[in-house]
Structures are given as structure tokens and as C-alpha cells.
Amino acid sequence: MLDSKLPLALRNNLLDLFGQIEREFENLYIENLELRREIDSLNERLTGDGQAVDGGDPTKGALKTKASHSTSQLSQKLKTTYKASTSKHLYTLQGKIGGPRNFSVATWELWGGDSWIVSSFKATTGSRALCQLLKEYIGHRDGIWDLSVTRTQPVVLGTASADHSALLWSIETGKCLLRYAGHAGSVNSIKFHPTEQMALTASGDQTAHIWRYMVQLPAPQPPPDVSAPCDDDQDSSDREEGEVDGEGPCEVPTVRVATATLKSHQGVVIAADWLVGGRQVVTASWDRAANLYEVETSELVHTLTGHDQELTHCCTHPTQRLVVTSSRDTTFRLWDFRDPSIHSVNVFQGHTDTVTSAVFTVGDNVVSGSDDRTVKVWDLKNMRSPIATIRTDSAVNRISVSANQKIIALPHDNRQVRLFDMSGVRLARLPRSNRMGHRRMVCCTAWNEENQSCNLFTCGFDRQAIGWNINIPALLQEK
């Protein structure tokens, strides 16, 4: 064997890391063998009754959930560390080699996970659509948790990052226009006021901020001619260069002071959203409560309690005074503020692991996503059971539903983004190869159907947001 040119300490560190990876996969392999033997044993006992356990494929059935539960828990621990971060020097998997020594399965998932050994569920055959990667928004110094598009002119993209900042971007040029630096912790979500130039951000510093912005759009540039079919069998090879070459935006206006600071929580504020009309906001926290505030006075109006564990997300209805909160207790709750004298709540128990997000559609539906690798579609008029269930091969993060066509965009821990309709039929997967797509966990998706070019945005732990053009008519025609 040729002598390595790497320094001895670096080489030993690499060998140690790869040894830990090998041991993790060996444990998973042994566990899979035991589960397969259990499936075979059950099938033998049920054969006489003409039954069989849906487990010949190790990617299906309830037993797969058991095999993946420990992995999901470890992944959640690493996400938790960053969302609660208030250290200005905590950057994503610092230095790769000189960074954390505990290279667990969770760390491996953030670096791409086992997507190359887990086969995808195929709900459709021959699904194809033209998906263009139009812009990459690079400038954050850590993973991006959330993104949103303004609802007023000028229309810009906002991103919230673990680097303690929120950035506003020109959608057409990819240029950073403004930086908000008022938080002392990870910025976990960003939402824009429905009619004014105001943003709402939630942070690991246990506060939510409302702040005003003014931006001037630069001259647009022609989009690059980069296109690829949304192919469920496309190769998902990783990029060799690893990190995004972004060291933060240079010479952009910075806002450091909030118009209002909402301080009532006793834990990380993980998400926040505007109620219809923009006069009130709701925040969700790891203190297991959601708070309702008056925007004008910053006064706490209601504290919404009942969840047994930390909240993970909150969302408001686009036209009604309804709020849905998600939690690690495997439930999501629907809060009704339409009647000022009665504030009713309904609890929904459709998942077996953390509910990472639940969002309203323009109509009468709620769509929920979970670490149990499922997405469920619910009817507000009858929410005893879901009207559709989507089963995937990876934990699902913050989902979004297009307003006009009701297409669900699913961001996954395993770097993939998939599109489904409301009946649970898979329409496409966004292209991901060594030339395009996310290289780490995808945290959030956001639709922007008003824009004829960039109509879908995604962001992830690779420090970048991506603007896509989804040919929706062609997508639905081939459905």
C-alpha cells in the first residue's frame, strides 16, 4: 500500500470517522436481517390463512418504522442542536474533519444519509415533467431552516438561517438585497405581512421579531438554460466539492433593530406566522405553548397550551382565523378563533412520530408531514381520518401546498424534493445530481405561483436556497 501524503493526525481522524460509519451501517444491516427473518416467520404462520405481512420489501410496512425509529431520533437531536443555537461560532458540521467527533447516524443523514441504499416508493410509472433549476441563492454561513416569498411588491425571497440572520433576495438575479441581524440565536422561520413591508422571524434566542424592510430590485437577468426531467430513477450522486462557496453577503444593507420584540416564551421559538389581516401573529415554542399577540401593541392575547412535547411548527389559514400547531408529541392541533367568545381546539393523532409541519390549503384541507415518513391530507369538515396518505422513504420537513393547483412539495432529510397531488399520487421528483440540487437535508419548500419563472423554492442544510421552474400544466397533463 502506498504511503499516504495526509498528515498522520488527519489520516487517523479520517480512519476513525469511517470506522464509526462502518459500525453504524453494520448495526443497521444486522437489524434489517433480524427484521426480515421476523417477516418470513410471520408469513409462514399466516400462509395457511391466505394472509401475508406486507414486508417482503424492507422499505414497506410497520416493521420498517421500527428499524428507522432510532435513526430518526438521532437525526432529530442534531436538528435540535442547531435550532436552539445561540452561539455565534456554531456553523454547520464545522470543518468536516476537525469538527464533531460523534459522527452518528444523524450526522450521516445530514450529509446525505442512506438514500443510495433505500429504494423509493413508486406511486406512478413514467411520471415526467420539465423542471428547471433557475437560481441558487448563496450567502448564508450556516444551514437554512425556512424560506418565504413576500406577498406585496416588490416581490422578494426571504430566508432564515442558523447563522443568526435572515436575508432578502432578488428572485430574478439571485442578489442579496438586505440582511436582518437582530437575533442572538438561530433564525428558525420567516413570514411576510400580507399587505405591508414587514417580516416576522422566530429564533432560538426565545423571541420573535417584527421588523420593517425597504429594498430596491436590481435589473433582471436572463435565466440560465438549465433543465432536466423530474425522474424518479435519476442518479443521486453527491458533489465532490462539499460545502457551498458562500461566505456571507458583502456590502448589503443591514437591519439590526426590530420594530417589535415578542418575549413571552420560555424556550426556543421555532416558528411564527401572521393571522389573516396581519393584525395578530402566532408563535410556536419548545416550551410546549403557542402564543397569540397583537401586532400594534406586542401584547400577549392568548397562550395556547395542551401539547405534551415541544412544538415544531405553526401555520395560519389564508382567509379564516384558524391556526394549526404541530408537535413532537405526534399530534397537531387546530385552534379556531373565528368566534371571539369561543376558542375551540381539536386534536388530531394521525402520525406515529414528530409532526414536523401542518399547513392549510386555500380550500378546506390540512396537510401534515412527519418524521414517520408519511404525509397525510385531511378534510377540515371531517378530520376523523385522513383522506389520503403519502408514504415516503425519508423523514419529511416543512411542506408547502400550491394555492392554485394544490400540489404538495415534500422536502426530505435524504436531500430529495418530491411533488404529489392531494389524492396522494406522486407527480415528480426534482432533479438531484452532481450538477444540481441540494447536497444536504432539505428543510423547507415554498410555492410562488404568481411568478411565471421561479414558482417553487427550496432550502437546506447545504447553506443555499434554490429557485425552480415547475411546468405545472405538463405535470398535471401526464398525471
Side-chain angles (χ1 to χ4, degrees):
M1 179 174 138
L2 295 176
D3 291 336
S4 173
K5 293 184 172 57
L6 294 173
L8 181 61
L10 182 61
R11 184 175 60 178
N12 290 339
N13 200 357
L14 274 171
L15 292 174
D16 179 59
L17 290 174
F18 285 123
Q20 291 183 54
I21 294 172
E22 183 179 6
R23 286 192 293 274
E24 293 285 2
F25 273 98
E26 184 178 4
N27 291 336
L28 288 174
Y29 179 74
I30 293 172
E31 188 173 3
N32 276 334
L33 289 179
E34 293 174 353
L35 289 169
R36 188 179 287 274
R37 282 195 290 269
E38 186 177 347
I39 292 169
D40 292 340
S41 175
L42 288 171
N43 277 333
E44 288 177 4
R45 281 187 284 173
L46 294 172
T47 299
D49 299 328
Q51 303 178 52
V53 176
D54 185 14
D57 183 350
T59 67
K60 296 183 180 179
L63 291 175
K64 178 175 181 281
T65 303
K66 177 181 175 183
S68 65
H69 184 66
S70 60
T71 301
S72 297
Q73 285 184 323
L74 289 168
S75 180
Q76 187 65 34
K77 287 181 182 178
L78 195 55
K79 296 178 192 177
T80 298
T81 301
Y82 280 95
K83 287 184 178 177
S85 163
T86 55
S87 166
K88 293 184 179 180
H89 303 290
L90 181 57
Y91 295 131
T92 308
L93 300 179
Q94 299 168 0
K96 289 191 191 177
I97 305 302
R101 293 300 185 97
N102 54 332
F103 199 93
S104 64
V105 172
T107 311
W108 179 244
E109 279 201 350
L110 286 180
W111 282 89
D114 57 356
S115 60
W116 55 280
I117 61 171
V118 179
S119 60
S120 302
F121 289 99
K122 290 184 169 55
T124 60
T125 58
S127 248
R128 299 292 185 270
L130 189 63
C131 300
Q132 277 190 308
L133 186 155
L134 296 186
K135 281 294 175 184
E136 294 177 332
Y137 305 89
I138 299 173
H140 279 293
R141 299 188 64 183
D142 210 332
I144 304 175
W145 293 121
D146 198 27
L147 80 173
S148 182
V149 179
T150 58
R151 292 184 272 180
T152 59
Q153 296 293 334
V155 178
V156 297
L157 174 69
T159 53
S161 170
D163 66 7
H164 301 192
S165 75
L167 300 181
L168 303 187
W169 307 83
S170 164
I171 292 176
E172 286 74 17
T173 67
K175 178 183 178 181
C176 181
L177 305 175
L178 184 141
R179 177 174 181 259
Y180 180 70
H183 283 292
S186 168
V187 184
N188 298 323
S189 80
I190 181 169
K191 295 291 182 184
F192 293 101
H193 192 277
T195 59
E196 299 183 38
Q197 292 188 7
M198 290 195 297
L200 171 66
T201 48
S203 173
D205 62 12
Q206 302 187 7
T207 69
H209 288 182
I210 297 172
W211 44 278
R212 292 187 176 273
Y213 63 89
M214 290 184 64
V215 293
Q216 184 174 358
L217 295 179
Q221 299 174 351
D225 185 17
V226 180
S227 62
C230 291
D231 189 346
D232 287 305
D233 299 317
Q234 184 170 342
D235 176 60
S236 295
S237 59
D238 204 356
R239 297 187 190 179
E240 295 294 331
E241 61 266 30
E243 295 296 334
V244 171
D245 298 328
E247 289 300 327
C250 301
E251 305 297 331
V252 298
T254 300
V255 176
R256 301 184 185 276
V257 180
T259 305
T261 301
L262 312 177
K263 298 180 177 179
S264 301
H265 284 293
Q266 303 301 313
V268 169
V269 183
I270 197 65
D273 202 358
W274 304 87
L275 268 73
V276 58
R279 295 182 179 180
Q280 292 181 325
V281 299
V282 62
T283 57
S285 171
W286 285 0
D287 63 10
R288 306 185 182 185
N291 287 341
L292 189 69
Y293 297 90
E294 288 287 346
V295 171
E296 186 175 353
T297 63
S298 302
E299 177 187 357
L300 176 62
V301 180
H302 294 291
T303 296
L304 313 179
T305 58
H307 282 292
D308 295 330
Q309 294 189 42
E310 296 92 334
L311 273 64
T312 57
H313 191 250
C314 64
C315 179
T316 59
H317 194 280
T319 60
Q320 303 181 61
R321 290 178 55 79
L322 298 172
V323 174
V324 63
T325 55
S326 311
S327 172
R328 293 186 64 185
D329 64 10
T330 74
T331 72
F332 66 93
R333 292 179 175 235
L334 177 66
W335 310 83
D336 190 342
F337 296 100
R338 290 175 292 187
D339 187 338
S341 61
I342 304 174
H343 302 138
S344 63
V345 58
N346 292 295
V347 184
F348 303 100
Q349 301 174 328
H351 291 282
T352 60
D353 205 337
T354 296
V355 181
T356 53
S357 64
V359 299
F360 292 101
T361 68
V362 172
D364 293 324
N365 297 110
V366 171
V367 184
S368 60
S370 171
D371 278 343
D372 65 10
R373 306 186 179 192
T374 69
V375 171
K376 296 178 184 287
V377 182
W378 308 79
D379 188 339
L380 278 175
K381 298 175 182 178
N382 180 15
M383 296 188 67
R384 294 182 179 178
S385 60
I387 59 176
T389 297
I390 300 167
R391 304 188 186 280
T392 72
D393 61 356
S394 180
V396 180
N397 296 309
R398 292 182 176 177
I399 60 180
S400 65
V401 183
S402 64
N404 296 333
Q405 301 295 340
K406 293 187 178 180
I407 298 175
I408 312 169
L410 277 56
H412 290 289
D413 271 8
N414 67 359
R415 305 174 292 177
Q416 305 294 346
V417 179
R418 293 186 173 93
L419 306 180
F420 288 79
D421 68 11
M422 295 289 286
S423 62
V425 175
R426 185 165 65 187
L427 303 175
R429 183 180 72 179
L430 299 193
R432 210 213 69 78
S433 68
N434 63 335
R435 296 183 296 108
M436 66 178 69
H438 287 286
R439 305 196 291 276
R440 306 289 175 261
M441 173 181 72
V442 189
C443 300
C444 181
T445 63
W447 288 95
N448 179 34
E449 291 176 284
E450 301 301 321
N451 192 311
Q452 297 300 316
S453 54
C454 279
N455 56 2
L456 177 64
F457 296 95
T458 59
C459 66
F461 230 69
D462 54 2
R463 309 182 186 183
Q464 69 172 334
I466 298 177
W468 303 86
N469 174 258
I470 309 300
N471 190 336
I472 294 179
L475 197 70
L476 297 176
Q477 187 177 2
E478 296 187 9
K479 176 178 169 181

